[in-house]
Amino acid sequence: MQIPVSEIHEIIDREADDEGSIISALEKVQQHYRYLPKEALILASQRLGVPLSQAYAVATFYNAFSLKPKGKYCLQICMGTACHVRGSPQLLDQMETKFNIKAGETTPDHLFTLETVNCLGACALGPIVVVNDEYSGQMTVQKSDALMKRLIRKEGLD
Amino acid sequence: MASIHTAQELDTWRESLAAKVNPDLPLITVCGGTGCRVYGSEQVWTAFQDELTNQKADARLNYDVKVTGCHGFCEKGPLVVIRPQGIMYTNVKVSDVAEIVGETIAKNKVIERLLYVDPQTNEEIKCEQDVPFYKHQHRLILGLNGLLDPTRIEEYISQGGFDSLKKVLTSLSPDDVIEEMKKSGLRGRGGAGFPTGFKWELCRQQPGDVKYVICNADEGDPGAYMDRSIMEGNPHLVLEGMIIGAYAMGAKQGYVYIRNEYPLAVKHLRLAISQAEDVGLLGENILDSGFDFTVKIKLGSGAFVCGEETALIASIEGQIGEPRPRPPYPAEFGLWGKPTNINNVKSWASVPIIIDKGSDWYASIGTETSKGTVIFSVVGNINNTGLVEVPIGISLRELIFDIGGGIPNGKSFKAAQIGGPSGGCIPAEHLDIPIDYESLQSLGAIMGSGGLVVADEDTCMVDFAAYFMRFTQEESCGKCVPCRVGTKAMLETLERICAGDGRPGDVDYLIELGEEIKRSSLCGLGQTAPNPVLSTIRYFRDEYEAHIVDKTCPAKVCKGLITYSVIEENCTGCMVCLRNCPEGAIQGKKKEVHVIDAAICTRCGMCMSVCKFDAILVE
Ligand SMILES: Cc1cc2nc3c(=O)[nH]c(=O)nc-3n(C[C@H](O)[C@H](O)[C@H](O)COP(=O)(O)O)c2cc1C
Ligand code: SF4
Ligand code: SF4
Ligand code: FES
Ligand code: FES
């Protein structure tokens, strides 16, 4: 992907007046691109006068940042305690097998990213699976199988 | 929006807001908490609005409808409560809306189908306050959550909001406030339970003009969501508490450190801050007292350790969130080296209530050493999942059976895990203990920040302990060796046990290592990380031994110790399992008994959940 420098500058400048701004700035960049392009890290460190090593340390320390682009569909499986006792590890296993990737990885065709998250605040409906911000509750292996098949079909990969 | 410069103006505004409320107008509150949203409560709310505009010609059908924060009883969402009667409807769908308006609003007729049915008595219960889930609670902090539109400061004001602030700024000195807090007996609700008044006093006594107050809304416990619900449902309550605290300690700047993963809470908090600024309850010379205070939001970026106060401070400063040794405590050397006071969301939210009702009243709730109410998010294998606020000191049994409605599917209670990754479990034999700081600690659990997970007979306690260990191991910041290396070693041992490769001596090794990590880690994460393991060993050592010696998982959870097979008598040869097995581990012809090849089977459980004839056996 071509990264527009001016756009990143704009995002960073909007956050730059604040103290400790590298984290907020990177958060905004992450929000915008759904990952942190390498260029953005360099630009942010230059723009904010923070050593690149610190920018990199921040980007790798916090779970919210990803240095790799995400797939078209980001599937998040809640691994919070409530979802765990109601069977979310099975769902994760199942998805890992289906897409042949581990949690945190993206399929080589850049379609699917698998992620785990901790408690989304909807424990009563656990286990929860979120696909690009859309929540599905009370998931079972069957329902999640259907969900994956639907996405795969939509992409014409069946 | 009004502009409030004096206490007098606040009163006048409140009166004028109250005067505008028509007490005869029915009020429909739709829960807008995360749980109910997932069930579709936003659409329900829209439908009520549409219904209103469609039927406006008929004056009888006029009503007010609003979206509130989480009502607490998430299990039954979307929840709709109709006031003034307090009629509670559960699992409301868009298709129910016209009927609710046509029957309940227009004719005051209750729709029985939508009422909550008490599973014990099979009785329909009409009003929210009579539902057992609510009846045994004491909802102080959560009290207004189901009533207010959190996006409008007017609603909070008309319910008496900021009256405590007024009282403080017009009639109490900072020392008076601190005295009240000390007398109330409030202990921090973020985990450690340190007395709030004393912490404030320490911060107040520090020299210097620049001090900070911080609200810890990082809510790291992966099974708790009450801080989020308070921020979403009643953000002004937290702000009011912070303003009062800042006045008492002499801080002019506050921060709320809130998780990035909580977009709705962040949105409502932002709104609350900007509205409070607009009316003059944040900013310069608040209520003409000469006291200035502003609040900024800082987003946490998903690191459990950042809930620890020194790591949180580092994170606000733009550093990576590594804890540092204490002392010096934040009260002496905190944010940017200045005296800083950090409290949890619930602690801040308790402040206006204590000031309003008085410390004596507050201290009359609870036990000798633990005062007030505590909020639990009760989750796991329990009938009534939700947020529960109870006086400290009620028994675990009351909490789980009277309020929580017991264990679903006729299963039996095994343990309650309290305090999340830093906590421990309480087994059935201790169900009657009072829930307070000391009792929990004596049993190896902690009050923590309020996560309470119920485990039934199908929960493997070794697997459960491994779950928490995996969590803390991943979240260890890695700064100190005992935590970084020790949690890893513990996790590897647990995983080995679960995989069926446990060795004699493993349990003693876990205990020894756990004690060592607790003793020598730098911060609370490491110091408490072994707790879930140690406490499960304390009460369920036989389960560990079964894994290690007998190579069985009594709860039939651990994959290395179970096998799937087909029960010949039950199998009809319907082929459903064969078609669904992701590994192709099942063979068989139509109408013939199927067989599972154990060598290929990954124990995913799919066949078991698709078989309609109970023909899959796991042992
Ligand atoms: C690893 C770790 C995580 C923590 N997470 C939180 C948290 O999410 N929320 C919180 O309020 N306190 C958390 N704490 C406790 C805080 O360090 C601190 O004690 C608390 O915010 C003080 O507020 P209180 O006195 O009102 O409880 C955590 C502590 C540790 C060691
Ligand atoms: S105890 Fe763990 S989390 Fe705390 S400082 Fe040490 S390594 Fe980091
Ligand atoms: S448990 Fe899973 S892998 Fe094993 S036979 Fe059943 S469906 Fe196939
Ligand atoms: S644990 Fe999954 S939503 Fe709470
Ligand atoms: S989200 Fe509606 S009751 Fe909790």
Side-chain angles (χ1 to χ4, degrees):
Chain A
M1 180 162 83
Q2 194 58 39
I3 301 298
V5 174
S6 59
E7 192 176 67
I8 293 184
H9 274 166
E10 214 179 285
I11 298 174
I12 293 168
D13 288 347
R14 237 180 295 140
E15 293 299 312
D17 53 297
D18 220 350
E19 328 98 340
S21 58
I22 182 92
I23 298 182
S24 324
L26 294 182
E27 258 159 12
K28 288 280 153 23
V29 176
Q30 166 86 34
Q31 250 171 35
H32 194 87
Y33 297 104
R34 293 169 64 221
Y35 83 108
L36 287 181
K38 196 163 74 215
E39 295 82 344
L41 271 188
I42 300 170
L43 288 174
S45 82
Q46 287 168 350
R47 201 79 170 178
L48 303 173
V50 172
L52 184 57
S53 59
Q54 192 194 332
Y56 185 76
V58 163
T60 47
F61 182 85
Y62 293 102
N63 300 337
F65 298 125
S66 154
L67 295 172
K68 279 181 273 169
K70 291 197 181 162
K72 180 169 174 189
Y73 300 101
C74 182
L75 290 89
Q76 297 177 307
I77 301 147
C78 181
M79 285 287 151
T81 329
C83 291
H84 177 88
V85 291
R86 290 191 184 182
S88 60
Q90 273 197 1
L91 301 177
L92 178 62
D93 273 359
Q94 181 196 14
M95 292 195 179
E96 287 182 338
T97 313
K98 186 97 180 173
F99 294 123
N100 199 16
I101 50 173
K102 291 270 164 227
E105 295 177 353
T106 302
T107 50
D109 56 10
H110 295 289
L111 277 178
F112 301 101
T113 300
L114 265 192
E115 282 181 357
T116 58
V117 287
N118 287 317
C119 193
L120 296 153
C123 311
L125 285 93
I128 304 271
V129 172
V130 187
V131 182
N132 293 353
D133 296 330
E134 194 184 311
Y135 286 59
S136 310
Q138 287 161 341
M139 289 303 276
T140 58
V141 273
Q142 287 133 290
K143 277 163 91 176
S144 105
D145 193 55
L147 181 123
M148 288 186 289
K149 283 194 177 130
R150 202 164 56 237
L151 294 179
I152 290 171
R153 210 170 304 129
K154 210 157 133 192
E155 289 304 317
L157 297 175
D158 213 0
Chain B
M1 212 175 278
S3 178
I4 307 294
H5 306 286
T6 63
Q8 178 64 45
E9 285 176 8
L10 178 64
D11 287 339
T12 318
W13 192 30
R14 178 173 299 123
E15 281 158 25
S16 79
L17 288 170
K20 272 190 233 154
V21 177
N22 172 1
D24 298 326
L25 191 68
L27 169 64
I28 301 174
T29 50
V30 181
C31 177
T34 314
C36 288
R37 271 171 203 258
V38 176
Y39 283 118
S41 71
E42 277 172 302
Q43 290 87 320
V44 170
W45 174 70
T46 318
F48 273 117
Q49 288 219 309
D50 291 349
E51 200 65 28
L52 189 62
T53 35
N54 294 345
Q55 308 211 0
K56 194 82 186 199
D58 190 338
R60 274 181 318 155
L61 296 194
N62 200 10
Y63 55 83
D64 196 7
V65 54
K66 62 185 168 199
V67 179
T68 69
C70 170
H71 293 193
F73 202 3
C74 312
E75 186 74 42
K76 294 288 167 191
L79 292 179
V80 168
V81 177
I82 294 155
R83 293 167 217 274
Q85 308 94 312
I87 300 169
M88 181 177 98
Y89 288 146
T90 59
N91 304 125
V92 177
K93 289 185 273 315
V94 171
S95 55
D96 299 320
V97 167
E99 193 182 347
I100 295 176
V101 173
E103 295 294 312
T104 310
I105 301 292
K107 302 184 203 141
N108 203 10
K109 267 214 213 123
V110 173
I111 303 165
E112 292 183 359
R113 164 174 59 86
L114 296 174
L115 290 176
Y116 173 74
V117 181
D118 185 340
Q120 251 124 49
T121 58
N122 262 330
E123 234 176 283
E124 285 157 351
I125 300 178
K126 188 175 128 189
C127 289
E128 186 183 32
Q129 66 266 22
D130 300 324
V131 172
F133 177 80
Y134 289 111
K135 207 160 72 182
H136 303 278
Q137 295 193 43
H138 194 108
R139 293 168 77 87
L140 291 179
I141 297 174
L142 295 175
L144 292 177
N145 243 46
L147 205 62
L148 297 181
D149 174 352
T151 63
R152 296 184 63 236
I153 191 171
E154 290 89 342
E155 302 226 337
Y156 181 64
I157 302 247
S158 69
Q159 293 286 340
F162 292 108
D163 206 36
S164 298
L165 178 65
K166 185 191 86 180
K167 183 168 166 186
V168 163
L169 293 184
T170 54
S171 64
L172 299 179
S173 71
D175 288 327
D176 293 340
V177 176
I178 288 176
E179 202 46 41
E180 271 294 276
M181 293 307 293
K182 277 161 75 175
K183 271 169 52 196
S184 75
L186 174 69
R187 297 171 65 168
R189 300 285 190 251
F194 194 83
T196 305
F198 288 90
K199 203 156 96 174
W200 287 19
E201 187 171 47
L202 195 65
C203 184
R204 169 158 180 80
Q205 286 164 348
Q206 298 304 310
D209 292 339
V210 182
K211 293 178 184 173
Y212 298 104
V213 293
I214 298 176
C215 173
N216 189 343
D218 199 41
E219 193 156 64
D221 177 347
Y225 62 102
M226 69 287 274
D227 290 359
R228 163 191 199 139
S229 294
I230 297 166
M231 299 294 232
E232 284 178 2
N234 196 355
H236 290 286
L237 182 67
V238 182
L239 282 185
E240 186 178 359
M242 289 181 74
I243 306 173
I244 294 171
Y247 168 78
M249 286 174 268
K252 291 192 178 61
Q253 178 67 56
Y255 291 89
V256 180
Y257 187 83
I258 182 167
R259 287 178 63 170
N260 198 14
E261 294 97 322
Y262 286 1
L264 191 65
V266 174
K267 184 174 154 203
H268 286 182
L269 190 67
R270 270 196 215 290
L271 260 175
I273 292 174
S274 79
Q275 290 174 355
E277 282 170 349
D278 287 348
V279 301
L281 290 164
L282 278 176
E284 284 176 13
N285 194 18
I286 298 170
L287 298 183
D288 203 25
S289 62
F291 166 63
D292 311 332
F293 183 60
T294 49
V295 175
K296 283 186 195 166
I297 295 179
K298 285 283 175 178
L299 295 185
S301 307
F304 175 59
V305 73
C306 286
E308 195 279 336
E309 47 190 24
T310 60
L312 186 153
I313 288 171
S315 180
I316 294 185
E317 291 172 348
Q319 316 286 325
I320 60 172
E322 277 181 358
R324 60 157 178 79
R326 299 172 306 172
Y329 286 92
E332 303 144 9
F333 189 89
L335 187 59
W336 290 297
K338 304 295 182 197
T340 301
N341 180 76
I342 301 182
N343 277 122
N344 171 261
V345 173
K346 289 157 290 210
S347 312
W348 288 120
S350 305
V351 174
I353 297 165
I354 292 170
I355 298 292
D356 178 40
K357 308 238 168 145
S359 56
D360 290 341
W361 177 85
Y362 191 82
S364 70
I365 307 167
T367 67
E368 195 53 43
T369 52
S370 314
K371 306 296 186 190
T373 58
V374 58
I375 304 177
F376 286 106
S377 48
V378 182
V379 302
N381 304 122
I382 186 143
N383 275 315
N384 302 338
T385 298
L387 295 183
V388 169
E389 183 172 2
V390 290
I392 297 184
I394 79 157
S395 77
L396 187 58
R397 186 185 298 281
E398 273 174 278
L399 185 67
I400 289 174
F401 290 92
D402 297 346
I403 299 174
I407 316 300
N409 308 324
K411 304 270 178 181
S412 64
F413 171 85
K414 187 170 197 174
Q417 209 282 354
I418 307 183
S422 311
C425 64
I426 311 272
E429 68 250 38
H430 292 301
L431 262 174
D432 290 306
I433 61 137
I435 303 179
D436 62 51
Y437 289 90
E438 285 74 20
S439 308
L440 290 181
Q441 198 151 20
S442 73
L443 293 176
I446 58 163
M447 193 80 111
S449 57
L452 193 153
V453 192
V454 179
D456 69 6
E457 61 193 63
D458 289 343
T459 310
C460 168
M461 298 314 276
V462 186
D463 174 70
F464 202 27
Y467 163 77
F468 284 114
M469 207 67 228
R470 201 169 297 122
F471 177 82
T472 34
Q473 194 272 320
E474 276 169 16
E475 295 295 337
S476 162
C477 79
K479 183 170 173 171
C480 62
V481 176
C483 173
R484 183 182 68 229
V485 181
T487 54
K488 198 146 193 245
M490 282 184 86
L491 178 62
E492 278 166 8
T493 309
L494 288 164
E495 288 184 332
R496 202 159 36 71
I497 295 173
C498 291
D501 299 324
R503 298 190 285 257
D506 274 349
V507 176
D508 290 327
Y509 172 69
L510 283 173
I511 296 174
E512 199 183 319
L513 192 56
E515 295 296 347
E516 185 54 34
I517 297 170
K518 286 178 70 155
R519 201 166 29 243
S520 50
S521 290
L522 173 62
C523 86
L525 189 149
Q527 287 158 9
T528 59
N531 288 353
V533 180
L534 296 177
S535 108
T536 44
I537 293 179
R538 174 166 168 186
Y539 297 111
F540 299 98
R541 192 171 176 135
D542 52 336
E543 265 189 57
Y544 280 82
E545 301 295 353
H547 284 71
I548 296 168
V549 182
D550 312 336
K551 305 288 174 202
T552 58
C553 173
K556 303 194 178 77
V557 171
C558 294
K559 287 190 171 170
L561 296 167
I562 53 174
T563 49
Y564 281 81
S565 57
V566 176
I567 305 171
E568 286 185 21
E569 303 85 78
N570 292 6
C571 178
T572 60
C574 73
M575 304 192 75
V576 166
C577 62
L578 183 151
R579 275 199 300 273
N580 279 284
C581 173
E583 306 296 333
I586 306 182
Q587 296 204 321
K589 294 206 178 74
K590 204 169 174 184
K591 297 202 175 138
E592 282 174 22
V593 171
H594 284 47
V595 214
I596 295 175
D597 184 342
I600 307 176
C601 171
T602 56
R603 291 131 183 119
C604 73
M606 184 72 151
C607 50
M608 182 116 159
S609 60
V610 294
C611 178
K612 293 192 183 64
F613 305 97
D614 284 334
I616 307 288
L617 177 71
V618 49
E619 47 185 1

